[in-house]
Amino acid sequence: MFSFIQANLGGILSRAGQHAWLAGAPLVLGLLIAMPLGWLANRVPWLRSVLIGGSGLLYTIPSLALFVIMPLILGTGILDPINVIIAMTIYTVALLVRTVADALAVVPSETEQAAVAMGYPPVRRFFAVDLPLAVPVIASGLRVAAVSNVSIVSVAALLGIPQLGYYITDGYSNTYWAEMWTGVLGCVLLALIFDAVIIALTWLLTPWRRAVAA
Amino acid sequence: MIQQVFSWLFDGAHWHGTDGIPARVLQHIGYCAVVLVIGAIIAVPIGAWIAHRGRGGWIITVINSLRAVPSLGLLLIVTLWLQSKIQSTSVFSISSIIVLVVLAIPPLLAGAYSGVSEVDPAARDAARGMGMTGAQVFGRVELPCALPLMFSGLRSATLQVVATTTIAATVGIGGLGRYLIDGLAQSNYPEMAAGAICVALLALLADLLLAAVQRMVVSPGLTGRVSRSRHTERPGDDEAMKEQISEPVRSATP
């Protein structure tokens, strides 16, 4: 396996980069979309069941099916990586709307009232008080989404979209073990890196938790 | 394009024979059912037992970390390995079923584990106080109370298995994935899209069916308690949760 990696290092790194992009960009996009939706779900009771039930339904669509249906809806070519980005964004939103709503729901009402009493207007209160306190719960949902995104993106290799999954399918068709292991372990490693980055960001964003612990 | 897909779907020729839509749907359901039954037989007792004893939670963590392994890679590796051991065409079915079971175990195990370990300790103590034996507490109190979370584990396992059975067609098993893989090989896009729509519908129906079964099986007395936990899937209960959370706020503002 090491000789395979040595001989193909350039290709592996560029495919890993594409993999990270296909799994990572939807993570950021999905979070940006899920945030206002989760906020709405937490604010408006009847919207809560609609939004959380609806986003749950999106997750029921199998990944390979979604990659194939996407060009039909978008009018893009089947090999276009944009299909994968949008499909993965849908999955991320599906996972995160519920997490964001739950995370905002557990912010203590005393804290919110204190912020209101201190004269925080609604928007500033959301960004300065509610959102930071919701970070740990949102981050735990984001970690699940990150790991599953990295794993699902490898399926796009069946359609011929370049990323680490290519080594899995190509190694299989040539019965080349070293190549397959490179693909699988590459995916696992990438998932671990994503996980570590989210943990580090959470640590940076929640200084008060360390203060309590110390 | 959409028209082509629909004309493929409603073409009478695609509705009978061994590669017709009804036959493929039945194959797909057959694989999923076998996998889920095997997975549940393995995972549910282990998860419930670990939670009942209150020790060995690390097993759950280890099995959960398996989720990072890409299912496509696992499938192809197991298939290739079995092929070098067994000279038979049943290799594909065996390896697909093994990998799908491996995939179904983490959510089933996590559901059973968190279901039993989140049972209200007061309920457990009350059952003991009434003179129930350990086995009775387990069977009559812990398991029924754990049902909602067990169902949510079963539902996510079902979704994953239905989706991954599609991918398993890569190694040559039947089911709805055939339309996607065969269509891909022949660049027959309408066939792929039609197959994709069938799989999505099947996954949706399976989830709705399980939601309905869950509503019937879970004791109504439990739903009030469980609605406070974050794991429930039932949208109706979320409203109740919202009510409870906003209650103190409302009483504080006249």
Side-chain angles (χ1 to χ4, degrees):
Chain A
M1 194 177 122
F2 288 108
S3 57
F4 176 83
I5 294 175
Q6 255 173 354
N8 298 280
L9 194 61
I12 293 171
L13 286 180
S14 83
R15 288 206 169 86
Q18 275 156 328
H19 202 118
W21 167 247
L22 290 176
L27 215 55
V28 177
L29 280 175
L31 183 62
L32 289 179
I33 298 172
M35 214 100 88
L37 291 180
W39 178 81
L40 263 180
N42 192 41
R43 266 310 174 80
V44 190
W46 65 269
L47 264 179
R48 189 182 167 91
S49 17
V50 174
L51 283 172
I52 289 177
S55 62
L57 282 184
L58 288 177
Y59 204 69
T60 61
I61 307 170
S63 54
L64 188 56
L66 198 55
F67 293 151
V68 173
I69 297 172
M70 229 54 243
L72 195 72
I73 299 167
L74 302 172
T76 46
I78 188 152
L79 282 174
D80 202 331
I82 197 86
N83 300 324
V84 177
I85 299 247
I86 294 183
M88 296 317 299
T89 304
I90 291 178
Y91 283 133
T92 311
V93 171
L95 277 172
L96 288 182
V97 169
R98 183 184 200 103
T99 311
V100 172
D102 288 340
L104 291 175
V106 295
V107 172
S109 57
E110 292 87 351
T111 313
E112 288 174 350
Q113 287 169 30
V116 173
M118 284 170 72
Y120 276 81
V123 177
R124 212 174 124 216
R125 196 200 84 191
F126 177 76
F127 284 105
V129 180
D130 294 9
L131 194 57
L133 286 177
V135 163
V137 180
I138 295 178
S140 71
L142 206 57
R143 288 176 63 189
V144 175
V147 171
S148 78
N149 274 13
V150 171
S151 169
I152 294 173
V153 162
S154 63
V155 170
L158 292 177
L159 299 175
I161 292 164
Q163 28 72 24
L164 288 171
Y166 165 81
Y167 295 111
I168 299 173
T169 51
D170 193 61
Y172 176 72
S173 51
N174 298 319
T175 322
Y176 192 2
W177 287 98
E179 189 179 2
M180 286 180 84
W181 281 115
T182 304
V184 171
L185 295 179
C187 285
V188 173
L189 193 66
L190 195 62
L192 288 178
I193 294 174
F194 270 46
D195 202 40
V197 168
I198 296 171
I199 292 175
L201 283 177
T202 313
W203 190 82
L204 283 176
L205 286 173
T206 54
W208 62 89
R209 294 172 102 204
R210 302 196 287 282
V212 170
Chain B
M1 181 55 95
I2 292 174
Q3 220 152 23
Q4 275 177 301
V5 176
F6 275 99
S7 61
W8 194 97
L9 264 178
F10 295 114
D11 185 344
H14 298 136
W15 281 87
H16 44 74
T18 47
D19 57 352
I21 293 172
R24 291 283 183 228
V25 169
L26 283 180
Q27 276 176 335
H28 206 100
I29 294 176
Y31 273 112
C32 296
V34 168
V35 166
L36 287 168
V37 168
I38 298 175
I41 289 174
I42 298 172
V44 173
I46 296 178
W49 178 242
I50 293 174
H52 177 71
R53 295 211 328 158
R55 265 178 291 159
W58 58 272
I59 299 174
I60 310 290
T61 318
V62 169
I63 291 178
N64 259 331
S65 66
L66 285 180
R67 292 192 212 225
V69 179
S71 45
L72 179 66
L74 194 62
L75 174 73
L76 297 187
I77 280 180
V78 171
T79 307
L80 210 55
W81 179 73
L82 273 182
Q83 259 180 326
S84 66
K85 305 267 165 208
I86 316 168
Q87 304 295 323
S88 154
T89 46
S90 58
V91 162
F92 301 121
S93 304
I94 297 171
S95 68
S96 301
I97 289 176
I98 292 175
V99 171
L100 291 170
V101 168
V102 168
L103 210 75
I105 284 177
L108 288 169
L109 192 74
Y113 175 78
S114 54
V116 172
S117 56
E118 281 182 28
V119 170
D120 192 342
R124 212 175 284 159
D125 291 346
R128 280 203 188 279
M130 285 168 68
M132 284 193 188
T133 62
Q136 280 174 326
V137 173
F138 183 64
R140 293 204 207 156
V141 179
E142 289 182 330
L143 282 187
C145 287
L147 271 182
L149 285 182
M150 282 183 174
F151 259 98
S152 87
L154 176 64
R155 284 168 70 178
S156 65
T158 305
L159 289 182
Q160 279 190 12
V161 169
V162 169
T164 316
T165 302
T166 316
I167 299 168
T170 325
V171 301
I173 69 162
L176 287 167
R178 285 260 60 86
Y179 295 129
L180 286 134
I181 302 298
D182 297 346
L184 185 68
Q186 300 156 10
S187 309
N188 184 346
Y189 189 71
E191 180 179 348
M192 289 175 79
I197 291 170
C198 288
V199 182
L201 282 179
L202 184 65
L204 214 72
L205 285 177
D207 195 51
L208 285 178
L209 182 73
L210 283 176
V213 173
Q214 182 177 358
R215 254 178 210 277
M216 284 193 296
V217 173
V218 174
S219 153
L222 276 174
T223 49
R225 180 190 71 81
V226 172
S227 66
R228 260 168 262 146
S229 105
R230 262 186 274 120
H231 303 277
T232 39
E233 296 271 334
R234 295 170 53 179
D237 293 334
D238 290 321
E239 304 230 354
M241 172 172 127
K242 179 76 198 157
E243 290 291 314
Q244 257 145 10
I245 286 172
S246 54
E247 197 65 60
V249 184
R250 239 186 290 137
S251 53
T253 46

